[in-house]
Amino acid sequence: MPRSLKKGPYVEPKLMNIVLVTQETRSIRVIKTLSRRSTVVPDMVGINLAVHNGRKFGPVFISDNMVGHILGDFSPTRTFYG
């Protein structure tokens, strides 16, 4: 069930502050985050994030197609042995 339109998308406040500072300084550093439940917003486009999957941090480059999805969608937690 998606979040209410009245409330808007959830983004961890601490993560959003770091993203805004990174956008202002045009830094290319990787931002580590444990917040898999945060939604990708348009302010995050073009930023490198490292999303924790329970064992390690997986690199994720945010593009236009990812807006509206959750960060956890791009960091798989299960290993495929197929």
Side-chain angles (χ1 to χ4, degrees):
M1 189 85 178
R3 190 168 159 96
S4 168
L5 291 176
K6 180 175 67 172
K7 293 181 185 177
Y10 176 77
V11 181
E12 188 81 31
K14 187 175 178 181
L15 175 64
M16 195 61 196
N17 289 338
I18 295 171
V19 166
L20 293 176
V21 168
T22 304
Q23 288 283 17
E24 289 175 3
T25 61
R26 299 196 186 272
S27 175
I28 59 170
R29 71 182 186 129
V30 177
I31 301 169
K32 286 186 172 183
T33 182
L34 297 172
S35 179
R36 296 171 53 85
R37 62 185 177 182
S38 293
T39 306
V40 177
V41 292
D43 293 337
M44 293 182 183
V45 173
I47 290 191
N48 287 316
L49 293 175
V51 182
H52 197 260
N53 68 358
R55 186 172 51 129
K56 61 181 182 174
F57 288 93
V60 176
F61 179 75
I62 305 297
S63 65
D64 292 333
N65 297 335
M66 296 179 179
V67 173
H69 291 274
I70 295 173
L71 288 176
D73 293 343
F74 308 110
S75 180
T77 57
R78 299 179 189 254
T79 307
F80 178 68
Y81 292 111

